[in-house]
């Protein structure tokens, strides 16, 4: 079993529902009712006294800057406006825990930014615990203090975004991408033979990504490359993304492509990275 807000989900399910809010993938509202009427309807389902409910609704509409549209029908709203009302609908009972299921799915960029900012404010200003499900790794990185990665219905990793990213390269490792016009197997072998190097991936004929440990790892790498005759055109200091973490932990990239695509020779590590800075 499990507990939510201190209540057992099996034995005290009614109490659990009193302390949670839900924003599902599908908007739960009535188009023919106004924003205020929708909020009032759902508030009554929690048996909130009318005078208290009226104050909460006014406060919530102010919170999402929708008070001037309070008495307009939902079917006259844009998708982003509807989602703002949909979110505060789940706050009418002042929940301790708010569940958000793909809250920005199908929204335009402006509405997406507005909903993400709303989620931040609910967490920071209302002190509400938020459990968010999303397929967008950037969204999880932006909004979440802790992230759980699910694979085939099981949690395979859970930690802070920073620690999850460190799990890809290691806590003391740095990732570099070198652009080398005359890249060949000899150059790659010279890098792979270094004791400080934990991973070497050749993405294309002129680029390699190298994960290396140690304070002087960059100098050691450059020295080895020059000795091998490599002409270094550019170097990037790279930072792993949560997408890299997902692929690294679940192995989906390998499983999905193993039948048709050979796996590059390497000692470990992911295949895609987000540039952090460039040095010429």
């Amino acid at each position: 079993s499990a507990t939510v807000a201190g209540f057992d989900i099996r034995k005290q399910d009614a109490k659990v529902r009193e302390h949670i809010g839900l924003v599902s993938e599908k908007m739960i509202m009535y188009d023919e009712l106004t924003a205020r009427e929708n909020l009032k309807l759902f508030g009554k389902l929690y048996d909130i006294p009318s005078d208290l409910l009226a104050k909460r609704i006014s406060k919530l509409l102010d919170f999402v800057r929708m008070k001037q549209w309070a008495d307009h029908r939902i079917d006259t709203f844009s998708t982003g406006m509807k989602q703002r009302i949909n979110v505060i609908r789940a706050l009418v009972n002042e929940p301790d825990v708010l569940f958000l299921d793909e809250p920005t799915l199908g929204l335009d960029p402006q509405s997406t930014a507005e909903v993400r900012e709303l989620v931040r404010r609910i967490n920071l200003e209302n002190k509400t615990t938020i459990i968010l499900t999303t397929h967008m790794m950037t969204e999880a990185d932006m909004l979440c203090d802790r992230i759980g990665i699910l694979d085939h219905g099981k949690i395979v990793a859970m930690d802070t975004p920073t620690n999850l990213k460190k799990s890809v390269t290691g806590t003391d490792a740095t990732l570099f991408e070198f652009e080398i016009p005359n890249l060949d197997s000899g150059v790659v072998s010279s890098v792979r033979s270094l004791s400080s190097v934990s991973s070497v991936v050749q993405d294309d004929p002129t680029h390699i990504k190298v994960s290396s440990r140690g304070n002087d790892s960059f100098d050691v790498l450059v020295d080895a490359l020059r000795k091998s005759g490599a002409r270094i055109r550019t170097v990037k200091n790279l930072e792993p993304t949560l997408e890299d973490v997902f692929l690294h932990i679940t192995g989906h990239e390998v499983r999905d492509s193993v039948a048709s695509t050979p796996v590059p020779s390497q000692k470990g590590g992911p295949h895609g990275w987000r540039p952090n800075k460039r040095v010429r």
Side-chain angles (χ1 to χ4, degrees):
S1 186
T3 60
V4 176
F7 299 101
D8 188 283
I9 61 172
R10 291 183 176 177
K11 299 177 181 178
Q12 300 170 291
D13 56 311
K15 281 291 185 182
V16 170
R17 284 193 289 270
E18 289 179 13
H19 290 266
I20 66 172
L22 171 66
V23 178
S24 66
E25 183 178 332
K26 183 178 180 180
M27 293 188 188
I28 306 174
M29 290 183 296
Y30 293 93
D31 284 344
E32 65 273 17
L33 299 181
T34 67
R36 192 190 306 275
E37 288 169 341
N38 267 281
L39 296 174
K40 185 176 181 179
L41 171 63
F42 285 96
K44 286 296 183 181
L45 295 177
Y46 288 100
D47 292 324
I48 302 172
S50 296
D51 56 342
L52 177 59
L53 179 58
K55 292 178 181 178
R56 283 191 188 177
I57 290 173
S58 180
K59 181 180 178 181
L60 288 169
L61 289 167
D62 271 337
F63 187 70
V64 293
R65 298 181 290 274
M66 289 285 291
K67 200 165 187 178
Q68 60 183 311
W69 291 286
D71 298 308
H72 290 242
R73 285 170 50 126
I74 292 294
D75 57 10
T76 66
F77 291 171
S78 67
T79 303
M81 293 169 70
K82 288 180 180 179
Q83 185 65 323
R84 277 188 272 170
I85 298 299
N86 190 41
V87 170
I88 62 172
R89 170 200 54 75
L91 299 176
V92 74
N93 61 321
E94 296 187 342
D96 296 312
V97 182
L98 177 63
F99 292 88
L100 300 177
D101 183 13
E102 304 275 6
T104 60
L105 185 67
L107 299 183
D108 60 71
Q110 180 179 344
S111 297
T112 295
E114 290 175 352
V115 170
R116 286 174 178 169
E117 179 59 26
L118 177 58
V119 171
R120 290 191 190 95
R121 290 178 58 211
I122 292 170
N123 177 241
L124 295 175
E125 297 177 25
N126 295 4
K127 307 301 181 185
T128 304
T129 297
I130 297 176
I131 298 178
L132 168 76
T133 63
T134 180
H135 287 88
M136 291 182 279
M137 298 294 106
T138 53
E139 183 166 86
D141 203 357
M142 292 168 60
L143 297 177
C144 300
D145 298 315
R146 289 178 62 82
I147 295 173
I149 295 177
L150 278 75
D151 186 33
H152 292 105
K154 295 182 179 180
I155 297 177
V156 294
M158 181 177 289
D159 211 327
T160 64
T162 298
N163 286 343
L164 286 172
K165 292 172 189 176
K166 286 180 180 178
S167 72
V168 176
T169 58
T171 56
D172 61 342
T174 305
L175 194 79
F176 302 100
E177 181 183 72
F178 292 89
E179 181 185 3
I180 302 171
N182 64 329
L183 183 63
D184 58 28
S185 59
V187 172
V188 175
S189 296
S190 68
V191 173
R192 189 171 282 127
S193 65
L194 296 173
S195 60
S196 60
V197 170
S198 58
S199 173
V200 180
V201 177
Q202 182 174 350
D203 285 339
D204 58 48
T206 61
H207 291 82
I208 57 170
K209 291 171 183 171
V210 183
S211 178
S212 183
R213 290 176 169 80
N215 294 331
D216 59 348
S217 61
F218 178 73
D219 293 335
V220 171
L221 277 171
V222 172
D223 187 53
L225 286 168
R226 285 174 175 167
K227 286 181 178 178
S228 69
R231 299 195 307 272
I232 302 171
R233 177 175 292 171
T234 62
V235 181
K236 295 177 184 176
N237 182 0
L238 303 178
E239 177 183 310
T241 68
L242 285 179
E243 290 182 356
D244 301 321
V245 174
F246 183 85
L247 294 174
H248 177 70
I249 291 175
T250 65
H252 277 185
E253 187 176 51
V254 174
R255 287 203 299 269
D256 292 345
S257 60
V258 68
S260 58
T261 306
V263 179
S265 175
Q266 62 183 82
K267 296 181 182 178
H271 299 280
W273 304 87
R274 177 176 60 199
N276 186 27
K277 61 179 70 173
R278 172 174 290 202
V279 179
R280 284 190 180 272

